[in-house]
Amino acid sequence: MPGLIGEDRFRAVAAAALDLQGVDGVEVLYTHEWGGLTRFANSVIHQSTFREDTGLRVRVVSRNRTGVASSNDFSEHGAREAAASAKEMAEVAAPDPLFPGLAPKAAVPPVDRFFEDTAESSPATRAETVSRLIEHCPAGFVAAGAFETAAAELGIANSEGQMCWSPGTMASLTTVMTGGEHGSGFAEAFSGSSAFIDPDALGARAADKAVRSQSPVALEPGTYPVVLEPAAVATLAGFLAYVGFGGRGYIEDRSCFSGKADEQVAAPAISIWDDGTDPRTLGAAFDFEGVPRQRVDLIKDGVFKEAVYDLRTAKQVGRTSTGHGLPAPNPEGPFPLNLFMQEGNATVEDMIKSTERGVLVTRFHYSNIVNPIESSITGMTRDGTFLIERGEIVGPVMNFRFTQSIIDALTSVSLVGRHAELASEFFFSSSRVPALKIEEFHFSGRSDH
């Protein structure tokens, strides 16, 4: 079983690249990732895999020109060769008048996000966890899903004197149970430690939804009050981050928040921020340029405050980076990777009881952008969609296609859940979000199941 290569070894290898002569700057990005994945279907484990990857990405700056070279040879020789290749590319690249320079030396807040139980997880350990989950699958139903445990270390070093290194781990367990008359139930959990994932609770939750969602009835598409569980809210948060909170889109007037600073864009109960230093999230406390991550209040009490920035976009608007840079070269600009939404005081049961007629949504599936300026997305409900009448769940309904502006949905939020869950719409980011009750949500079509 592999383990941490460590900060000292990273420093030694990076020094070989940083020693490159005849250039204006050098940056070394180091990643070392390993982990296992156990898949199951028809209530049987059918695949167990393991992977490990170590990589260097060297960026060289010469006369306002940049070149980037990557290598899997994590050695002094490999670092020198990658630096030399990056230098060759920089010498023939076009000048970049907006190049902001490399990250200056700065202290990074200490975080502890490396759990040995996750980094050392074995196929047998994952199989035992999956087995416990499958035990909750009712007769006549089958369980499918995956249990992944992963570890990584990230390092950045540059010729400006910045040097940072951080290890971390992540575990995720996902299941869908199906059976009976079109019954389907979903449950998922993310954590930095596999010890914090409860397969019994997840199995029981998915089983309950699968049993209760049998024999769904058709409900006409239209606009309904909805109760969105955290997995569904994470879809809204993830897409809003992509179309709204990135600094490049914001300053180029391509964001749904461009020109809306200090304007009310959501219900007063909605506050969203990004904070890579919070112990409740995942990843490193610095970005892929080596800049310490800052907490950024994106929406506060329903008012849009600001976007996130990397070195390039910060230079364009005359401010400092917020620590949200992605690996160079990066045409997308900065992106918030550690979103939080403020909890409220309601339970999901409170939301259901307050609803005269509406829909409970467990999660969304196959979601895509329709109009980024309007924050409109489309997708399907899945694995637990229920009709609410007179404050009670009365039965399952066939899945819907939705087409909805995220900003409009957040504007009509009436209740916010008191408990937030860590979820992920995109594999490279996470959101800690509660359930929401939204008074107006548009279902544009209906599935046949």
Side-chain angles (χ1 to χ4, degrees):
M1 180 68 66
L4 294 172
I5 292 174
E7 183 176 6
D8 290 343
R9 182 60 183 149
F10 163 59
R11 284 176 177 269
V13 172
L18 296 177
D19 193 43
L20 183 69
Q21 302 299 306
V23 297
D24 300 324
V26 180
E27 174 192 84
V28 181
L29 169 63
Y30 157 67
T31 56
H32 174 217
E33 303 170 292
W34 71 94
L37 176 67
T38 298
R39 298 181 185 271
F40 55 101
N42 292 319
S43 299
V44 175
I45 293 174
H46 65 89
Q47 184 182 50
S48 186
T49 67
F50 176 84
R51 64 177 178 85
E52 182 180 13
D53 185 36
T54 304
L56 288 173
R57 180 179 293 195
V58 180
R59 179 164 56 152
V60 167
V61 184
S62 178
R63 294 172 295 129
N64 239 25
R65 307 165 187 258
T66 60
V68 178
S70 299
S71 175
N72 291 106
D73 182 357
F74 184 70
S75 67
E76 286 84 347
H77 173 76
R80 282 190 291 267
E81 289 292 307
S85 294
K87 179 182 179 181
E88 290 181 9
M89 285 183 275
E91 289 172 344
V92 297
D96 181 2
L98 294 178
F99 179 67
L102 302 177
K105 185 176 181 178
V108 175
V111 295
D112 184 9
R113 294 176 179 158
F114 186 82
F115 296 87
E116 294 286 351
D117 65 313
T118 308
E120 298 177 356
S121 180
S122 67
T125 300
R126 291 193 300 276
E128 180 181 352
T129 299
V130 169
S131 177
R132 285 173 56 190
L133 183 149
I134 292 174
E135 287 177 356
H136 294 271
C137 195
F141 288 73
V142 293
F147 182 28
E148 181 176 16
T149 53
E153 49 189 318
L154 174 69
I156 302 284
N158 69 31
S159 52
E160 296 295 315
Q162 181 64 334
M163 175 75 71
C164 39
W165 173 88
S166 179
T169 53
M170 186 275 289
S172 65
L173 178 58
T174 304
T175 188
V176 174
M177 294 186 182
T178 56
E181 295 295 324
H182 302 293
S184 179
F186 165 84
E188 182 177 55
F190 289 83
S191 177
S193 170
S194 55
F196 297 150
I197 290 181
D198 185 346
D200 296 302
L202 292 178
R205 185 193 307 177
D208 175 67
K209 285 185 178 289
V211 170
R212 291 192 294 121
S213 65
Q214 293 184 88
S215 303
V217 299
L219 187 65
E220 284 301 310
T223 300
Y224 291 88
V226 294
V227 175
L228 303 185
E229 294 191 350
V233 177
T235 296
L236 302 188
F239 275 96
L240 189 62
Y242 185 72
V243 302
F245 295 139
R248 180 169 182 177
Y250 181 68
I251 64 180
E252 293 177 352
D253 293 330
R254 295 184 290 107
S255 162
C256 56
F257 296 117
S258 294
K260 296 181 180 178
D262 296 320
E263 290 186 13
Q264 197 80 30
V265 296
I270 296 298
S271 291
I272 301 174
W273 65 93
D274 187 86
D275 188 359
T277 67
D278 192 300
R280 298 172 296 172
T281 190
L282 307 172
F286 54 89
D287 71 4
F288 291 93
E289 295 179 313
V291 178
R293 296 192 184 276
Q294 300 176 21
R295 170 172 169 149
V296 179
D297 288 315
L298 304 162
I299 296 176
K300 187 172 179 63
D301 301 327
V303 176
F304 174 70
K305 305 306 291 184
E306 62 177 328
V308 299
Y309 296 93
D310 57 11
L311 290 170
R312 177 179 292 269
T313 52
K315 178 182 178 180
Q316 289 178 263
V317 295
R319 57 170 301 161
T320 58
S321 170
T322 57
H324 291 85
L326 299 180
N330 167 32
E332 297 295 330
F335 191 83
L337 302 181
N338 304 102
L339 286 178
F340 290 81
M341 183 180 289
Q342 181 63 53
E343 299 96 331
N345 298 313
T347 64
V348 171
E349 290 73 23
D350 294 334
M351 298 177 189
I352 294 170
K353 289 178 182 178
S354 70
T355 304
E356 180 63 24
R357 191 167 191 266
V359 178
L360 171 71
V361 177
T362 297
R363 69 158 173 161
F364 295 126
H365 166 67
Y366 202 61
S367 300
N368 284 288
I369 298 168
V370 175
N371 187 326
I373 297 296
E374 297 176 353
S375 71
S376 296
I377 63 172
T378 188
M380 304 289 293
T381 65
R382 181 173 174 176
D383 303 321
T385 308
F386 299 92
L387 175 64
I388 304 169
E389 287 187 336
R390 295 178 295 278
E392 295 182 350
I393 293 178
V394 297
V397 295
M398 293 181 181
N399 286 306
F400 288 107
R401 170 166 291 282
F402 71 92
T403 304
Q404 175 67 49
S405 160
I406 302 172
I407 292 178
D408 288 350
L410 294 182
T411 299
S412 65
V413 168
S414 58
L415 292 173
V416 180
R418 66 175 60 164
H419 298 297
E421 296 181 8
L422 190 65
S424 179
E425 174 63 25
F426 305 115
F427 70 93
F428 51 84
S429 66
S430 64
S431 304
R432 184 171 287 276
V433 295
L436 295 177
K437 181 182 177 185
I438 297 172
E439 294 298 332
E440 295 184 352
F441 196 89
H442 184 61
F443 295 114
S444 52
R446 187 181 66 223
S447 173
D448 59 358
H449 64 280

